[in-house]
Amino acid sequence: MKTLSTFAATTILLATESQSFATPATSSRITSSRANTERLAASQDEDLELTRQIIMGHVKKMGIDEQGVEVDEDLLPSHNKNPDDYPRNDLMIRAALGRDDVERTPVWLFRQAGRHLPEYHAYKKKTGRSFLDMLSYPEDVAECTMQPVRRYDMDAAILFSDILVIAEALNIEVTMPGGVGILVPCPLVGPADMKERLPAKETLNKDFVHDKLGHVMKSVKLIRSQMKEEDISIPLIGFSAAPWTLLFYMVGGSSKRRQHIGMEWLHTHPEESKELLDMLTTIVIEYMSEQVESGAHMLQLFEAMGMMIEEKEFNEFAMPCLKKIASELKSRYPDVPLMVFSRGASFANEELSKLEYDVVTIDGDVDRSIARDVVGGRAGLQGNYDPKELIAENGKTPETVKQTTKELLEALGPQRLIANLGEGLGGKESPELVNAFVEAVHEESERMIAEAERS
């Protein structure tokens, strides 16, 4: 990217203006326009602001953002050609789309906001609100989203939210009492209950999302505004749970107990399960679309409960939903990177790479030596560093983190890779070691890439 000073951009604009408005007829229109502008500008400040807006309007058409940075128009997504909305640090986007090589491997972390950060606990205590309550306050969401990207040199921020906000939007109560994971006190107990309690599929549209999940869209917009104010120009990731994961919890499943209930539903109510999954697929698509429309640069889909479904049932029930989500989102936003994580169901990774996902996430159980072969050249990889390496009580140090990070990069390669974890941060991780991981990814990958270019 090239940088132009404001003076240079203005000079180019004025030169363009002098060439474009040379005819008498146009000159007359300019005179008329100036007269109107003078009448509208009630003060010198207003006049200056109007001039600035005119200049910036032309500068944006030239592909130059407000920082004076020229943005390659080919990089701008088809749904939004405003260079001000494109992050200056676009490593994540370029690595995900795989359209060209990157100068270093980008990195972000699952659950990078929250639990492990002392500033999160201090802020949470200050608000007096629970985690779930905070999600209804855009100012809380924005603050928690920003905390890790202030502390660490992350290559992306991710919306501070929860995988079950869609379930709540569908009138399913969700609680987190602590120590027992996510609980749904009144799960769906059968097809009749499902039809009585859930809205009709045809109502699950953009308007429904704004009615029930409008606070999330306000949060996304506020985060983007805060990032601009703090001059942190990196992509913002929006996300959602995938349909099977939502169904699993909505019928009463939990990571701690009643782990069988999801599979039981599929076997006992196969047609109604498909009906529910289709409904959830519809709202996931609309929910993620509205996050993009509100300012998200990238999207992550979490099939977080992949370990709670067998391969046969996954292919019959879950995979069609994942295929439809990828196809629809990519038809709407072809240039918005789409990442998928089928946690605990790595058997699905090969098929997922054949869909329209740009990045397939690998969990901690995936053998790195064959991970690339599984996805071929069809998709990039994300993952799969062990978060236990970031816990000081486990005897880990910045030196051990640097070594294990090097092993990750050597096994997976620094290109078409997003360095991340095999599962989310649990809260015991040391901020010092998290920082060591982020720095090691950047430093080691830069070295590896530079060496490859020299050879």
Side-chain angles (χ1 to χ4, degrees):
M1 294 183 182
K2 300 174 183 177
T3 302
L4 295 178
S5 66
T6 304
F7 173 78
T10 306
T11 301
I12 293 171
L13 170 63
L14 292 175
T16 304
E17 295 282 74
S18 67
Q19 293 172 9
S20 302
F21 302 129
T23 66
T26 308
S27 178
S28 175
R29 286 196 297 272
I30 292 173
T31 301
S32 175
S33 176
R34 285 173 177 162
N36 291 335
T37 301
E38 288 170 1
R39 286 194 294 270
L40 290 170
S43 69
Q44 185 178 20
D45 288 344
E46 289 177 351
D47 193 36
L48 287 171
E49 174 60 20
L50 183 57
T51 302
R52 188 196 73 82
Q53 290 176 8
I54 293 170
I55 291 173
M56 290 311 302
H58 282 273
V59 166
K60 288 178 182 179
K61 290 177 184 178
M62 297 162 61
I64 303 167
D65 70 11
E66 290 185 347
Q67 300 293 321
V69 177
E70 184 180 349
V71 180
D72 184 348
E73 190 169 342
D74 291 339
L75 295 175
L76 301 178
S78 57
H79 74 282
N80 184 355
K81 290 294 185 180
N82 183 356
D84 285 343
D85 288 337
Y86 189 79
R88 293 196 301 280
N89 175 357
D90 64 349
L91 278 173
M92 278 273 294
I93 295 174
R94 288 188 286 131
L97 295 177
R99 294 172 181 171
D100 58 8
D101 287 345
V102 295
E103 54 273 26
R104 68 175 184 269
T105 302
V107 56
W108 70 284
L109 305 179
F110 298 131
R111 296 202 200 112
Q112 65 186 31
R115 308 183 188 196
H116 83 288
L117 293 174
E119 56 264 42
Y120 167 74
H121 292 286
Y123 182 81
K124 187 168 176 281
K125 182 178 180 180
K126 178 182 175 182
T127 66
R129 291 189 275 268
S130 69
F131 164 71
L132 287 178
D133 287 339
M134 287 169 66
L135 301 186
S136 298
Y137 293 82
E139 63 273 23
D140 292 351
V141 173
E143 171 60 24
C144 294
T145 299
M146 295 298 295
Q147 286 177 349
V149 298
R150 292 180 188 133
R151 178 184 277 265
Y152 309 120
D153 187 19
M154 294 291 189
D155 293 300
I158 183 167
L159 171 69
F160 182 74
S161 188
D162 183 65
I163 59 173
L164 293 187
V165 292
I166 285 179
E168 291 183 294
L170 294 172
N171 303 317
I172 302 295
E173 183 186 1
V174 176
T175 64
M176 292 184 183
V180 294
I182 301 171
L183 292 180
V184 173
C186 299
L188 300 175
V189 295
D193 190 37
M194 179 185 86
K195 293 182 185 299
E196 181 179 343
R197 292 171 60 185
L198 300 185
K201 179 188 172 183
E202 55 268 22
T203 67
L204 302 178
N205 51 27
K206 175 180 177 179
D207 292 337
F208 180 90
V209 170
H210 280 279
D211 180 40
K212 298 293 186 177
L213 295 163
H215 58 284
V216 178
M217 307 315 146
K218 289 179 181 177
S219 296
V220 171
K221 292 175 182 177
L222 184 57
I223 294 165
R224 286 295 310 278
S225 176
Q226 193 65 31
M227 291 172 76
K228 184 174 182 180
E229 183 177 322
E230 298 185 31
D231 196 28
I232 298 176
S233 190
I234 55 178
L236 174 62
I237 304 169
F239 77 91
S240 174
W244 156 252
T245 293
L246 290 166
L247 180 148
F248 174 78
Y249 281 110
M250 289 169 66
V251 301
S254 167
S255 60
K256 304 288 186 181
R257 58 185 184 180
R258 299 192 73 195
Q259 298 178 353
H260 67 285
I261 195 68
M263 285 283 290
E264 185 176 297
W265 247 78
L266 300 184
H267 291 152
T268 307
H269 314 295
E271 294 308 313
E272 290 84 359
S273 293
K274 289 180 179 177
E275 182 181 344
L276 177 54
L277 287 167
D278 186 50
M279 176 187 298
L280 293 169
T281 298
T282 297
I283 191 171
V284 166
I285 290 169
E286 296 305 323
Y287 176 55
M288 296 183 88
S289 293
E290 289 310 302
Q291 289 182 61
V292 173
E293 295 295 339
S294 298
H297 300 100
M298 306 178 71
L299 293 172
Q300 172 75 57
L301 185 65
F302 288 105
E303 192 66 280
M305 291 293 111
M307 76 291 293
M308 299 299 178
I309 184 171
E310 298 297 327
E311 184 172 357
K312 176 179 178 293
E313 285 76 12
F314 189 102
N315 290 331
E316 180 182 354
F317 292 93
M319 190 66 78
C321 304
L322 299 175
K323 181 177 181 180
K324 184 175 181 180
I325 290 168
S327 177
E328 183 59 32
L329 288 175
K330 275 304 191 179
S331 71
R332 297 183 186 187
Y333 309 106
D335 304 312
V336 172
L338 183 58
M339 305 176 287
V340 64
F341 187 11
S342 185
R343 186 170 71 110
S346 58
F347 55 76
N349 287 348
E350 182 175 3
E351 184 61 27
L352 290 171
S353 74
K354 297 175 183 177
L355 304 182
E356 296 182 63
Y357 293 98
D358 298 294
V359 176
V360 172
T361 305
I362 54 176
D363 62 25
D365 293 331
V366 170
D367 183 348
R368 293 174 186 168
S369 68
I370 62 170
R372 289 286 182 188
D373 293 334
V374 170
V375 302
R378 297 177 296 269
L381 288 177
Q382 177 172 246
N384 70 340
Y385 192 77
D386 187 350
K388 293 184 179 66
E389 296 290 334
L390 304 175
I391 300 176
E393 286 77 4
N394 292 345
K396 306 304 178 181
T397 66
E399 289 71 30
T400 64
V401 169
K402 185 173 183 178
Q403 178 57 36
T404 49
T405 302
K406 181 179 179 181
E407 293 168 3
L408 169 78
L409 292 168
E410 288 177 342
L412 297 177
Q415 297 289 0
R416 202 78 202 273
L417 173 69
I418 296 171
N420 204 323
L421 306 173
E423 61 179 305
L425 294 172
K428 296 180 180 180
E429 296 81 8
S430 158
E432 179 189 7
L433 297 184
V434 170
N435 189 60
F437 174 64
V438 173
E439 290 184 347
V441 168
H442 286 156
E443 293 171 3
E444 186 62 26
S445 64
E446 280 186 1
R447 182 191 63 79
M448 292 173 67
I449 292 169
E451 286 183 358
E453 289 175 348
R454 285 194 298 268
S455 62

